[in-house]
Amino acid sequence: MLWACIALPRLALDAVLRRVPDPSRPLALVSGPAQLRHLHAVNAAAAEAGLKPGMRLSAAHALLSDVAMVEYDPASEARWQRFLAAWAYRHSSQVSARWPGAIVLEVRASFRLFGPWPRFEARLREELEGLGFSHRIALAPTPRAARVFAGLRDGFAVTGEGAMREALARVPVRRAALPGNAGERLQRMGVHTLGDLRMLPRDGLRRRFGVELLEHLDRLHGDADDPLALYAPPDHFDGRIDLGFEVESHQALLFPLRRLIVDLATYLSARDGGVQRFTLRLEHEARHALPSHEADQVQHDAVRFTEVPVGLLAAERDAGLLFELTRNRLEQVALPAPVIGLRLLARELPPFVPAERDLFDTRPAQAVPWPQLRERLRARLGDEAVHRVAPSGDPRPERAWRRADAGEDGDAACLAPAPRRPPRPAWLLPRPVPLRDPRLRIVSGPERLESGWWDGDDARRDYYVLETSRGQRAWAFAPPGEREGWMLHGWFA
């Protein structure tokens, strides 16, 4: 087996930067008790001004007064690690987020799908950069070795166990992710590398450092199995962005909304599924009272929010389409109060079936497939504005069709064989009108139609295909058994 480790050295900071409109402005994460506030992480602009992790908050304000401060949230960091584990699941069936700030995945089985490791690695880096997360990647035969190498050298790759052991022998003990403070203690004892550590008697190491150190070394070098808790994707998506300030316009919500939709599309791609219904929640502060007559506005003691439901006729997972549909729905909602957060909930995740395409597709490059155009029209004009024409089974021509919902399955009507009928005109008149022409010629007919006795609109007609003196093909009927008093009902093309 071959394991790739994706180290995420700035996971908490990147999770905040990807939701702010201008990530180039100085920003820092703050943690610690109220009397000992300090910087947990800083972005590049803040670092250039002299700010660094561990600095006291008062000293940071003295150096840079306009730096943006965001509270460090360990729970949010853990959620983003799980999100990236879901992203990695699209590349491998064996993914683990066991260690904080890192994800490991088995990649040898994926080479046949994604190509050799250099191409696979480039794909991982490209997608991570698109998601907005800085990273370091390393490859090794064991997950623990890959994690150690990722912390030492970005891009390091070793595929053989012998080469891995030689590389590990040169790793400093303080950088070997040893359990507890064993690395610092061994360094003070004069043991500088893992090679030196492996030469020491195991009984003495067990008495001084416990069995955990020996188990770590065995699993690190591949001498013992390393049982990892593998990631299993959840059956729903729940993403949230805290805006950090009050937003009173739809336009200012589009940037964080796009981020949420991209995250949803990434999650769906990892599951190889789609979404058909989801809800966007616009969160408001509790002090803002919402109108009680609005059906889509919910109030609780702690949270007040406005719900924007988004429904599709078929499962989709294209980020651009989902964003456009959600934006159109959002723009139709009046904001009853300033928005302080966005939350996207998707619980119905049916399988995604891509639309069938011809091998030699002759559509223009800018043409929109019908399913996407249908969804855009429904989002912009309303669900009731788009419908289709479906057969009703009534033999009377004026009642042979009905208005059906755009998402209604029309395949069921096609399962039963349709009765064989003579040709029907392409142009059916709204109501029959008298046909007066002294030189009518009967082309075919009659076709007897007797129906409607059950609803009081009985129809007894003989239909003919007629040719007029001008060469037009008409579809007309007369009373049964007669060939006069023609009523025109349609024209053939």
Side-chain angles (χ1 to χ4, degrees), residues 427 435-437 439-443 464-476 488 490-493:
W427 180 9
L435 177 61
R436 297 183 177 90
D437 191 323
R439 298 174 56 187
L440 290 175
R441 184 175 69 88
I442 297 177
V443 177
Y464 294 83
V465 178
L466 305 176
E467 183 177 272
T468 68
S469 57
R470 297 183 179 182
Q472 298 170 302
R473 289 291 178 97
W475 197 50
L488 177 66
W491 295 102
F492 288 92

Side-chain angles (χ1 to χ4, degrees), residues 163-484:
M164 178 191 69
R165 293 173 183 269
E166 294 179 4
L168 286 174
R170 300 188 295 268
V171 173
V173 291
R174 291 186 301 178
R175 306 289 298 277
L178 300 180
N181 61 347
E184 294 292 338
R185 293 170 58 189
L186 288 167
Q187 180 73 22
R188 291 194 296 267
M189 293 170 56
V191 181
H192 300 288
T193 65
L194 286 178
D196 299 336
L197 178 60
R198 295 266 287 178
M199 295 176 63
L200 298 178
R202 292 176 64 90
D203 291 339
L205 290 176
R206 181 182 297 107
R207 289 193 301 269
R208 284 178 175 268
F209 298 95
V211 70
E212 293 82 4
L213 177 62
L214 297 180
E215 291 179 349
H216 175 78
L217 292 176
D218 292 341
R219 294 169 179 174
L220 180 67
H221 292 82
D223 297 330
D225 293 335
D226 194 356
L228 296 177
L230 297 181
Y231 170 81
D235 58 356
H236 68 279
F237 176 85
D238 186 353
R240 184 183 180 277
I241 290 183
D242 185 5
L243 301 179
F245 52 90
E246 294 185 346
V247 175
E248 299 182 354
S249 67
H250 296 90
Q251 190 67 28
L253 296 175
L254 296 183
F255 177 80
L257 175 61
R258 186 183 295 274
R259 275 297 186 187
L260 278 176
I261 294 297
V262 170
D263 293 345
L264 173 61
T266 302
Y267 169 80
L268 295 175
S269 179
R271 284 177 51 93
D272 195 22
V275 63
Q276 192 164 356
R277 293 178 182 86
F278 59 94
T279 301
L280 176 67
R281 286 185 178 177
L282 311 178
E283 299 181 354
H284 315 282
E285 286 190 1
R287 60 183 175 85
H288 292 288
L290 302 182
S292 59
H293 64 276
E294 296 292 343
D296 60 345
Q297 295 169 356
V298 183
Q299 301 190 33
H300 296 289
D301 295 336
V303 179
R304 301 176 185 267
F305 55 84
T306 302
E307 288 193 346
V308 183
V310 180
L312 295 89
L313 299 177
E316 294 285 350
R317 69 181 182 195
D318 179 71
L321 174 63
L322 295 176
F323 171 74
E324 184 174 352
L325 299 180
T326 310
R327 181 188 64 184
N328 291 333
R329 302 282 184 177
L330 176 62
E331 291 175 347
Q332 298 175 17
V333 175
L335 300 181
V339 180
I340 61 173
L342 295 179
R343 188 176 181 183
L344 192 63
L345 299 170
R347 302 189 183 280
E348 298 183 26
L349 305 175
F352 174 71
V353 180
E356 296 183 359
R357 299 281 297 274
D358 294 335
L359 178 60
F360 302 101
D361 198 343
T362 58
R363 293 183 306 176
Q366 301 300 324
V368 179
W370 160 242
Q372 296 187 13
L373 176 61
R374 177 187 61 190
E375 297 295 350
R376 291 177 180 177
L377 291 174
R378 292 179 66 248
R380 183 169 295 275
L381 303 178
D383 295 340
E384 302 298 328
V386 181
H387 65 276
R388 66 180 183 86
V389 176
S392 65
D394 195 317
R396 288 169 290 185
E398 61 272 17
R399 299 191 181 187
W401 64 276
R402 62 184 177 87
R403 174 172 172 166
D405 184 78
E408 186 176 335
D409 187 8
D411 295 337
C414 300
L415 296 179
R420 297 180 61 87
R421 292 194 177 112
R424 292 291 186 263
W427 180 9
L428 190 69
L429 301 182
R431 61 181 59 86
V433 297
L435 177 61
R436 297 183 177 90
D437 191 323
R439 298 174 56 187
L440 290 175
R441 184 175 69 88
I442 297 177
V443 177
S444 63
E447 175 192 354
R448 178 66 56 88
L449 185 150
E450 294 189 27
S451 182
W453 55 268
W454 60 87
D455 58 8
D457 190 12
D458 191 8
R460 300 181 70 252
R461 309 165 187 166
D462 281 350
Y463 278 89
Y464 294 83
V465 178
L466 305 176
E467 183 177 272
T468 68
S469 57
R470 297 183 179 182
Q472 298 170 302
R473 289 291 178 97
W475 197 50
F477 64 86
E482 300 182 13
R483 294 192 176 184
E484 58 183 10

Side-chain angles (χ1 to χ4, degrees), residues 81-160:
Q81 185 177 6
R82 291 194 297 270
F83 168 77
L84 289 176
W87 160 81
Y89 191 76
R90 68 190 294 187
H91 302 291
S92 172
S93 61
Q94 300 187 56
V95 177
S96 177
R98 174 178 180 178
W99 298 292
I103 296 170
V104 292
L105 60 155
E106 203 286 320
V107 296
R108 185 187 293 275
S110 303
F111 286 167
R112 289 180 296 178
L113 181 61
F114 299 105
W117 172 243
R119 187 188 306 169
F120 192 6
E121 179 187 10
R123 181 190 181 101
L124 295 175
R125 293 184 185 275
E126 180 182 1
E127 295 185 8
L128 284 168
E129 290 173 359
L131 291 173
F133 290 96
S134 56
H135 54 275
R136 301 168 63 91
I137 300 180
L139 181 72
T142 67
R144 294 179 187 246
R147 180 191 176 203
V148 170
F149 293 145
L152 292 172
R153 178 183 168 187
D154 186 22
F156 184 82
V158 57
T159 58

